[in-house]
């Protein structure tokens, strides 16, 4: 049976993991999990792309979990554009340790970094100070776009909670949420400058289809700009832009 154009397009941007690969990789992960636990739930100093990051106990660890690294690699290949002619502005939603905010600030963006977790806000501020970027990064506590109402940005970064459900604690909110994906998609157009773009990292372990479906309904142009297959999951970074927007991704 032939596929519709919509089904073909979805197959091109939503990767699939073969069940055999998932089982094999999960078996391997079970072996290394005790070693990973030594770096979770405690204050540690991690390194991502050669830069040090302090991670507090109830903050998402950007070194152990692979999504943040791919997101900042995609950011490094993104041309800096601003329609306003001034200094480019970036918004890092769910900033955690401040990873995305710091890499964006190092590229020349003035950054607003937002997280609902008070410990993440504290952690991101510490890392901004450590990298001498406190004058370029404004860390704010709040839910999604609430702390930046009325503001617009040239770039939005998002490493979302992939799984459905109510988070059990502040750290679990980095992985789990009830309607975060839909609310992010609904609020994104209002914070983008003309020609502004979003970089969103998603995993096949979570409900990536839901967010992509909502973005298409806006409608937005969606491109895969970075992807890694880790066996049990595929992590993909998507470049999204309002249809008719200027400044497509140029690797």
């Amino acid at each position: 049976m032939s596929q519709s154009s919509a089904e073909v397009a979805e197959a091109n941007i939503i990767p699939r993991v073969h069940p055999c690969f998932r089982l094999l990789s999960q078996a391997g992960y079970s072996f290394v999990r005790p070693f990973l636990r030594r770096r979770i739930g405690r204050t540690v100093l991690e390194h991502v792309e050669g830069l040090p990051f302090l991670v507090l106990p109830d903050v998402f660890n950007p070194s152990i979990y692979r999504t943040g690294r791919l997101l900042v690699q995609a950011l490094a290949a993104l041309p800096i554009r601003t329609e306003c002619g001034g200094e480019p502005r970036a918004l890092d939603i769910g900033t955690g340790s401040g990873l995305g905010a710091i890499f964006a600030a190092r590229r020349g963006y003035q950054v607003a970094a937002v997280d609902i977790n008070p410990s993440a806000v504290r952690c991101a501020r510490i890392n901004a100070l450590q990298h001498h970027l406190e004058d370029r990064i404004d860390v704010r506590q709040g839910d999604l776009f609430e702390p930046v109402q009325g503001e617009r940005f040239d770039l939005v970064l998002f490493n979302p909670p992939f799984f459905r459900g109510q988070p059990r604690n502040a750290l679990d909110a980095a992985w789990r949420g009830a309607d975060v994906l839909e609310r992010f998609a609904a609020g994104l157009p209002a914070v983008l400058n003309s020609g502004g773009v979003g970089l969103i990292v998603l995993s096949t372990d979570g409900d990536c289809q839901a967010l992509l479906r909502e973005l298409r309904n806006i409608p937005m142009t969606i491109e895969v700009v970075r992807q890694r297959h880790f066996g049990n999951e595929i992590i993909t970074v998507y470049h999204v832009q309002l249809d008719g927007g200027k400044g497509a991704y140029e690797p």
Side-chain angles (χ1 to χ4, degrees):
M1 184 168 58
S2 63
Q3 291 180 294
S4 69
S5 58
E7 288 172 331
V8 171
E10 181 167 301
N12 287 336
I13 67 169
I14 302 178
R16 310 292 180 187
V17 176
H18 193 282
C20 292
F21 284 107
R22 187 182 295 275
L23 289 173
L24 287 171
S25 184
Q26 286 173 346
Y29 181 63
S30 296
F31 176 76
V32 301
R33 187 177 297 166
F35 300 98
L36 295 179
R37 282 178 178 165
R38 296 174 186 173
R39 293 156 58 194
I40 298 173
R42 63 181 63 187
T43 300
V44 293
L45 185 67
E46 300 284 7
H47 288 78
V48 179
E49 299 294 290
L51 296 184
F53 287 85
L54 180 74
V55 184
L56 298 179
D58 50 355
V59 176
F60 181 85
N61 189 309
S63 181
I64 292 176
Y65 304 106
R66 301 165 291 206
T67 50
R69 188 182 304 273
L70 263 68
L71 183 61
V72 298
Q73 288 173 354
L75 169 62
L78 184 72
I80 299 177
R81 291 190 176 92
T82 173
E83 292 295 313
C84 300
E87 195 170 39
R89 299 193 70 209
L91 171 62
D92 185 22
I93 295 287
T95 193
S97 63
L99 180 76
I102 284 167
F103 277 92
R106 284 169 58 90
R107 291 214 63 204
Y109 287 93
Q110 194 70 35
V111 186
V114 173
D115 205 294
I116 198 170
N117 180 356
S119 291
V121 171
R122 185 163 57 253
C123 188
R125 286 174 177 163
I126 292 170
N127 283 314
L129 286 166
Q130 176 181 223
H131 291 279
H132 308 290
L133 292 169
E134 64 274 14
D135 60 333
R136 303 197 65 81
I137 300 174
D138 179 15
V139 187
R140 312 177 192 180
Q141 183 181 351
D143 183 29
L144 291 178
F145 302 107
E146 287 179 359
V148 294
Q149 287 185 11
E151 299 179 52
R152 289 184 176 268
F153 301 87
D154 304 290
L155 171 67
V156 175
L157 304 173
F158 192 38
N159 185 357
F162 302 138
F163 303 107
R164 297 289 186 178
Q166 291 298 327
R168 294 166 292 187
N169 51 48
L171 178 57
D172 195 42
W175 286 276
R176 204 177 316 277
D179 59 352
V180 174
L181 301 177
E182 288 82 1
R183 290 191 296 115
F184 172 81
L188 179 60
V191 301
L192 286 176
N193 276 330
S194 174
V197 303
L199 287 180
I200 304 168
V201 58
L202 296 173
S203 167
T204 51
D205 277 357
D207 191 6
C208 58
Q209 296 95 331
L211 178 53
L212 296 174
R213 188 183 310 117
E214 294 294 327
L215 293 172
R216 275 191 176 139
N217 289 339
I218 288 175
M220 300 192 85
T221 300
I222 304 171
E223 299 177 68
V224 173
V225 294
R226 201 165 195 89
Q227 190 169 86
R228 287 285 304 277
H229 198 309
F230 293 98
N232 68 315
E233 69 172 329
I234 300 172
I235 297 175
T236 305
V237 181
Y238 296 93
H239 174 282
V240 302
Q241 189 170 31
L242 287 168
D243 278 1
K246 304 173 185 176
Y249 182 89
E250 294 174 4

